[in-house]
Amino acid sequence: MKLVGGRETSYDAEPMAGFKRTLARTLSLVGATVFLASCSLFEKVDQPLTTFDPAGPFAERIDGLFWPVFWIATGVFVLVEGAILVAVFLFRDRDGAKEPKQLHGNAKLEVIWTVIPALILAVIAVPTVSAIFELTECDPDAMQVEVVGHQWWFEYNYPEEEIQTANVMVVPAGEEICAVMTSADVLHNFWIPALNGKRYLVPGQETVLRLQADEPGEYWGHCAEFCGLSHSLMRARVQAVEPAEYDAWVASQQQPANVPEEGSIEWDGLQVFLSRQCTQCHTVDFEDNEQGIQDNIVADGAFEGPNLTHFSTRNVFAGAVLPEEGETREQALKRWLADPPQVKPGSFMPDLALTEQEIDLLIAWLGGNQ
Ligand code: CUA
């Protein structure tokens, strides 16, 4: 036992050395954290889900709010933590020091440190509330796309163009899109960080989200609400293209699916599709054809899988998680068709125990299914 600062302590080591060591450790830990955080904040490395790389006016509106609030908060942090450090070092307990003056119940101080934060919050509230209102309502002239959440993929309907697609939402660059959203099963949340914030998809209700990409490009998104086993595999992709390219895409999607030539490998693939349980969930819109292939339309309200008309025009599938990097489309399709729940746990596309030959035929048909 040794007396330190006039009081008994239970350790003999030099107390200041221990304190300095702890302080040095804490500071280096804080420094490393700040360094790592700033790396990811300011470096535009390959981060498809970063909110710090806005690509359109709505995401820019959010970004424009974030930075002033961030710097105000940083200022408050530095002032408050600085004051604490000054107090810790300047007014620390010394040998024979008297008890410091107590401030409890000082009305003037209480008012000051209540009013200052209230004022800061009031100032931040003005642009925040106006941004919330601005981002909540679509321009009435904006083009509409209906977004329907499913476990675990997004369906996109273009009501005016009469197009139904999945996983890839194709939009014209430089134009506002009004996403009118709902869910077919549980709560989902549609989030394309480069284009806007998050918005819930609620069964039986409609929510809207304004989207706009100024430049052509691919913008990744993700379901942002835990929605079951494969929530982490429920991705979204917005593909913004030049207006002329968009018009061409619309015209091609409005065409019915091709019926392959009888006797071809694609034809055999189509027979696999028609004879296994695929038709129960997947719509394919066939043209009037001599071969007598009927449209396979899954009724609204029935359990739906993605509409497979023009499947081959989508560069991602299976909740936009396939193909994975370094994998060809064919390899990914093989893996997917062989055992869907293996790729996406809980997948409602069952393992149909397709033979390797059936899988090859289906891929041939899907590949040519423009
Ligand atoms: Cu849908 Cu998470």
Side-chain angles (χ1 to χ4, degrees):
M1 288 291 183
K2 183 180 168 188
L3 286 177
V4 178
R7 266 168 259 138
E8 254 185 9
T9 66
S10 56
Y11 54 89
D12 315 71
E14 263 194 71
M16 270 320 276
F19 174 71
K20 275 182 188 154
R21 213 166 30 238
T22 313
L23 185 71
R25 271 192 206 142
T26 311
L27 284 180
S28 51
L29 197 66
V30 169
T33 311
V34 169
F35 174 74
L36 287 175
S38 57
C39 286
S40 59
L41 273 183
F42 299 108
E43 275 229 8
K44 301 219 165 119
V45 284
D46 185 24
Q47 292 169 324
L49 292 180
T50 180
T51 57
F52 295 111
D53 203 2
F58 308 120
E60 268 157 22
R61 188 80 172 79
I62 294 171
D63 197 56
L65 254 184
F66 172 82
W67 288 108
V69 173
F70 175 79
W71 289 120
I72 291 171
T74 305
V76 170
F77 176 81
V78 169
L79 285 176
V80 172
E81 295 304 312
I84 289 174
L85 285 179
V86 166
V88 164
F89 287 103
L90 229 54
F91 305 114
R92 67 176 184 274
D93 195 11
R94 292 193 172 84
D95 285 355
K98 281 186 290 179
E99 185 171 313
K101 204 169 117 197
Q102 300 300 300
L103 293 170
H104 180 74
N106 185 320
K108 201 165 152 195
L109 281 174
E110 301 268 358
V111 168
I112 289 175
W113 60 53
T114 306
V115 166
I116 292 178
L119 279 178
I120 294 174
L121 290 178
V123 167
I124 291 174
V126 175
T128 306
V129 172
S130 78
I132 289 172
F133 279 102
E134 202 184 303
L135 294 176
T136 304
E137 267 182 50
C138 287
D139 179 339
D141 297 330
M143 166 193 150
Q144 276 197 6
V145 179
E146 293 167 9
V147 180
V148 186
H150 295 263
Q151 282 173 317
W152 289 275
W153 55 283
F154 289 105
E155 170 189 334
Y156 305 113
N157 296 311
Y158 297 64
E160 218 151 283
E161 294 80 2
E162 297 187 357
I163 294 170
Q164 184 181 54
T165 185
N167 293 314
V168 185
M169 182 200 234
V170 179
V171 300
E175 208 181 293
E176 178 178 337
I177 314 300
C178 183
V180 181
M181 314 195 293
T182 190
S183 167
D185 37 48
V186 299
L187 273 183
H188 299 277
N189 195 313
F190 192 67
W191 183 44
I192 312 286
L195 305 183
N196 202 337
K198 299 168 180 168
R199 187 73 29 99
Y200 272 107
L201 278 68
V202 187
Q205 279 187 38
E206 263 184 9
T207 50
V208 296
L209 183 68
R210 308 174 82 177
L211 298 170
Q212 181 170 329
D214 288 337
E215 298 295 330
E218 284 189 327
Y219 303 95
W220 278 104
H222 207 288
C223 174
E225 173 68 20
F226 179 70
C227 54
L229 265 186
S230 275
H231 153 72
S232 67
L233 298 173
M234 183 167 173
R235 292 186 195 156
R237 175 180 270 196
V238 172
Q239 194 173 352
V241 296
E242 296 288 0
E245 202 182 319
Y246 174 74
D247 292 341
W249 177 83
V250 168
S252 77
Q253 298 289 313
Q254 284 171 335
Q255 298 297 315
N258 283 332
V259 176
E261 225 173 280
E262 254 175 274
S264 64
I265 178 171
E266 291 85 0
W267 171 266
D268 292 344
L270 173 58
Q271 301 314 310
V272 177
F273 170 77
L274 295 172
S275 61
R276 306 297 302 245
Q277 292 98 306
C278 319
T279 48
Q280 287 178 12
C281 304
H282 295 289
T283 289
V284 180
D285 201 351
F286 292 106
E287 64 194 63
D288 293 334
N289 53 84
E290 295 159 4
Q291 295 96 320
I293 302 292
Q294 304 281 315
D295 274 355
N296 184 65
I297 310 290
V298 178
D300 265 350
F303 184 84
E304 272 180 282
N307 183 323
L308 295 180
T309 316
H310 307 296
F311 171 82
S312 63
T313 62
R314 303 170 204 159
N315 53 11
V316 283
F317 54 93
V321 294
L322 293 180
E324 277 175 12
E325 232 176 272
E327 187 179 43
T328 66
R329 195 178 164 79
E330 200 184 326
Q331 286 166 336
L333 265 172
K334 248 184 195 170
R335 207 150 61 82
W336 176 232
L337 293 173
D339 191 355
Q342 165 86 37
V343 178
K344 282 175 83 176
S347 164
F348 290 100
M349 177 146 118
D351 178 3
L352 295 178
L354 298 164
T355 65
E356 224 167 280
Q357 195 205 2
E358 284 174 318
I359 290 173
D360 287 342
L361 292 173
L362 273 175
I363 292 174
W365 171 65
L366 285 167
N369 176 23
Q370 294 278 348

